[in-house]
Amino acid sequence: MTQRILSPSESWRRIDAWLATHLASDFALLNPPVTPDQLLRAERVLGTPLPGDLAESLRCHDGVSSWTTILPEQSPLPVSGIVDHWETCMAVAAENDGLSPRPWEDEPWWHPLWVPWAESADGAAQVVDQRPGPDAGRLGWAGNSGGGDFTDSWPDLASLLHAVAQALHEGGDVRGLRPYLTTEGGMWWDEDGCEELNGHPLWAAPIGLPRPPARPDRM
């Protein structure tokens, strides 16, 4: 039986509950929901509606207030950051012939229908590919060195958020990365069996939420 993929809002509710219980400092980095006006302004600049999964995610949290490792490899951008990153990449691509694939690459450096929803630690954008076709909605990396990379890409944002929520509440990994807690009280994702980060110990993150105490039997 195929497992139902949770919607972004359902996954964020589970992620929020886990963070609020185990990592309140990281939970505090999540911004409040985006406003309808902010979404409309962003869509005017991009010239296209935001992907449905992304718009739903932004209605839960308008990205984060500072770079974080709440998610495995990507720090969610606020809608203002989405617009800024898209405009910057469009300008750079236009100046450097980056909108067309080079002969040795399958993808261009940037495409107008790539929506940058998150960033990696080195500043690359994780994008939602809005180009029409069977791969519409997939996630990939772009805007750093080389052409866009959709190798082993997530089929959509909902699938990624679902996998994160499942790992936090039921255990397991997200594409080989597991959640850990740092000595500073933050989140970190790494391979199974990782014991330290920059010389400091890591602890496996707790799975799920504490169960409420059992109610005593009534006399």
Side-chain angles (χ1 to χ4, degrees):
M1 183 175 178
T2 303
Q3 183 184 31
R4 181 179 77 89
I5 299 298
L6 298 178
S7 68
S9 55
E10 290 174 312
S11 291
W12 272 121
R13 281 194 291 270
R14 300 191 77 198
I15 296 169
D16 288 352
W18 191 94
L19 290 172
T21 300
H22 299 295
L23 285 175
S25 58
D26 275 5
F27 179 61
L29 297 177
L30 289 163
N31 288 328
V34 72
T35 67
D37 284 347
Q38 288 173 315
L39 282 180
L40 285 174
R41 286 196 295 270
E43 290 176 341
R44 289 193 195 103
V45 175
L46 271 60
T48 182
L50 287 173
D53 283 358
L54 177 55
E56 183 176 343
S57 178
L58 289 166
R59 292 188 188 104
C60 298
H61 297 292
D62 185 19
V64 292
S65 58
S66 62
W67 202 89
T68 177
T69 50
I70 289 172
L71 303 182
E73 297 177 298
Q74 49 283 105
S75 186
L77 290 165
V79 72
S80 59
I82 290 172
V83 170
D84 289 346
H85 199 118
W86 184 87
E87 289 184 315
T88 298
C89 287
M90 286 293 293
V92 172
E95 293 175 0
N96 297 277
D97 193 26
L99 295 174
S100 300
R102 292 173 171 81
W104 57 88
E105 292 174 332
D106 295 327
E107 298 286 350
W109 183 82
W110 191 257
H111 193 283
L113 291 179
W114 290 348
V115 179
W117 82 278
E119 287 182 339
S120 67
D122 62 359
Q126 185 162 58
V127 300
V128 182
D129 187 1
Q130 292 217 92
R131 291 174 293 182
D135 294 324
R138 65 180 174 170
L139 305 185
W141 294 98
N144 210 324
S145 59
D149 183 4
F150 294 90
T151 306
D152 298 325
S153 61
W154 290 94
D156 47 48
L157 178 55
S159 297
L160 167 63
L161 295 176
H162 174 95
V164 171
Q166 185 172 21
L168 296 178
H169 282 268
E170 301 173 31
D173 63 88
V174 177
R175 297 276 176 92
L177 300 178
R178 292 177 179 270
Y180 293 88
L181 303 183
T182 70
T183 54
E184 291 79 19
M187 172 88 86
W188 182 254
W189 294 80
D190 216 317
E191 296 178 353
D192 189 24
C194 188
E195 297 181 349
E196 65 175 45
L197 174 66
N198 298 326
H200 299 286
L202 290 172
W203 295 274
I207 298 172
L209 303 178
R211 293 184 178 180
R215 297 176 61 183
D217 294 336
R218 294 182 179 179
M219 299 298 293

